[in-house]
Amino acid sequence: MTEIPRKKVTVKSVLAKKQRGERLVCIAAYDAPMAAIADEIGFDLLINGNAGPMSLLGHPTPLTVRFEEQLILTQAVNRVVKYGMKVAHMPYMSYNISGSESVRNAARLVSEGGADAVKCEGNRHTARHVAEIVRAGIPVIGHMGMQASRMLEQSGYGFKGRDAVEAAAIVDSTRAFVEAGAFAIILEYVPFEITQYLAETLPVPIVSVSSGPSPDGMYIGTGDAIGYSAFPRPKQAKAFVDISALIGQGLRTYKEHVLAGAYPLAEHTQHMTPEEHRRFLSLCEASAAHQDLNR
C-alpha cells in the first residue's frame, strides 16, 4: 500500500476537521527533542504553552516568564517540526497593553520564533487585541476556562465554571474571541457541560484540557503525559508513562558506577601512542623548566 504523504497542518485543515467531525489530537511541545518525537508521531497542534517555561525553566508561575524565554523555546520547537502546527503562547502582559504592542509581540513569535499561530488567554475585553492580531494576518487560538496567566484574577488554578453565572461568563468570553477571529479555542479545567455547549454552538474547534471528552479535540501537557516536570503532575491529568522513574534509576546507576570505579569502561578509554606520550611528557617538562627560569 502506498503511504499517503503527510501535509503541513494549517488553519484551513484545522477548521476542515471540525466540519468533518474529526478530532484534533494536540500535545504540548517545549523543546526540540520532544517536539521532534511528537511531530514524527503526527499530532495536529504542538503547543508551546505556559507550562513550558514552568516545567523546563523552573518558573513557579507563568507571571514571571519573560517574553524572550517563551521565544527561545518556540525557536527550539520550530527547528525540528515539519508537519504539526506550531502554536506559541503569548506570555503574561505581552498582549494586554495595546493593540500595536500585541501585534508586535505576536509578530515576533512568528517571524523570529517560527510559530504558525499564537495562543491568548483573556475575556471579552481582551478580544479587541485579539482582533488586532488577527487583522495583522496572524492566526490566534484562544484559551478559556482556567487561565494560568490570569491566576491572580481567578484566585488560583482551580476548577472554573462550577456555577451557572461563571459558566455563562466563560461562554461569553469564548464567543468574543471567536467573533474577534480566533480559529480554535483551548478550554481548560471546566465542567463537561460547558465544553459540550461550546462545541455544539460554535463554528471553530473546542479543544479540551481536563474539560471532558470534546468531540473537536483533546490536549495534554507533555510533562503531564509522560511524568517529566519540575513540579507535581496535576491530579486531573493522566500520565501515560512515567519517565521520571526511569531517569532517576539511570542517574542513580551512573552515580554508583562512578563511585565504584566501574565507569568509564577500560575499552572506551582512548590513549596516546607510546611515542606521542613520550613527546608529550618531554614538552611538559620543557615548559615547566622555562617557567622556573622566568620566575
Side-chain angles (χ1 to χ4, degrees):
M1 180 181 291
T2 304
E3 185 176 349
I4 300 175
R6 291 178 64 185
K7 294 182 179 180
K8 172 71 178 175
V9 178
T10 64
V11 172
K12 183 178 180 180
S13 65
V14 166
L15 292 171
K17 280 201 168 187
K18 167 82 173 186
Q19 295 301 314
R20 294 194 300 266
E22 298 177 13
R23 267 184 171 173
L24 298 167
V25 186
C26 313
I27 193 79
Y30 315 132
D31 56 54
M34 199 67 67
I37 294 170
D39 199 41
E40 177 65 26
I41 292 170
F43 289 96
D44 296 295
L45 306 184
L46 302 176
I47 304 174
N48 186 357
N50 273 321
M54 293 177 69
S55 64
L56 294 183
L57 305 180
H59 283 280
T61 105
L63 308 186
T64 61
V65 174
R66 293 184 294 110
F67 182 88
E68 288 73 17
E69 292 174 318
Q70 196 80 48
L71 177 62
I72 288 170
L73 295 184
T74 302
Q75 290 169 333
V77 170
N78 175 59
R79 293 185 183 109
V80 298
V81 171
K82 297 179 181 178
Y83 303 106
M85 175 179 281
K86 299 159 292 186
V87 182
H89 176 78
M90 294 195 69
Y92 180 63
M93 286 297 158
S94 64
Y95 57 99
N96 302 84
I97 297 173
S98 69
S100 59
E101 184 172 278
S102 301
V103 172
R104 187 180 301 111
N105 287 330
R108 287 191 66 193
L109 289 173
V110 173
S111 63
E112 298 178 40
D116 300 312
V118 298
K119 180 168 74 70
C120 300
E121 299 175 349
N123 51 34
R124 180 166 286 280
H125 302 293
T126 321
R128 66 182 185 275
H129 293 160
V130 168
E132 291 294 325
I133 296 171
V134 173
R135 192 174 293 117
I138 300 171
V140 175
I141 291 178
H143 188 131
M144 295 294 164
M146 195 282 284
Q147 300 173 326
S149 292
R150 303 180 76 95
M151 59 172 291
L152 298 179
E153 173 196 12
Q154 294 190 341
S155 300
Y157 301 123
F159 204 74
K160 310 302 175 186
R162 291 184 187 276
D163 64 76
V165 173
E166 188 177 44
I170 292 172
V171 169
D172 179 68
S173 294
T174 303
R175 285 174 174 163
F177 265 49
V178 174
E179 291 166 3
F183 72 94
I185 299 291
I186 303 292
L187 192 59
E188 183 170 5
Y189 212 16
V190 302
F192 169 66
E193 288 75 12
I194 300 177
T195 304
Q196 184 179 42
Y197 178 82
L198 289 173
E200 290 176 351
T201 59
L202 291 181
V204 304
I206 304 298
V207 179
S208 168
V209 185
S210 299
S211 298
S214 172
D216 294 341
M218 300 299 298
Y219 168 45
I220 192 171
T222 309
D224 298 336
I226 65 173
Y228 184 66
S229 174
F231 303 100
R233 185 179 69 254
K235 63 181 180 181
Q236 70 273 14
K238 176 179 174 58
F240 295 88
V241 67
D242 185 5
I243 67 169
S244 293
L246 293 176
I247 292 173
Q249 178 183 345
L251 294 181
R252 279 191 294 272
T253 302
Y254 160 67
K255 179 181 178 181
E256 292 167 358
H257 282 205
V258 169
L259 294 176
Y263 178 84
L265 297 175
E267 59 264 34
H268 295 156
T269 301
Q270 302 296 316
H271 294 279
M272 294 178 175
T273 63
E275 179 182 357
E276 288 301 319
H277 186 211
R278 286 192 296 271
R279 290 182 61 197
F280 162 68
L281 292 177
S282 177
L283 289 170
C284 288
E285 290 170 0
S287 176
H290 178 72
Q291 290 177 3
D292 288 340
L293 289 175
N294 291 330
R295 285 178 182 173

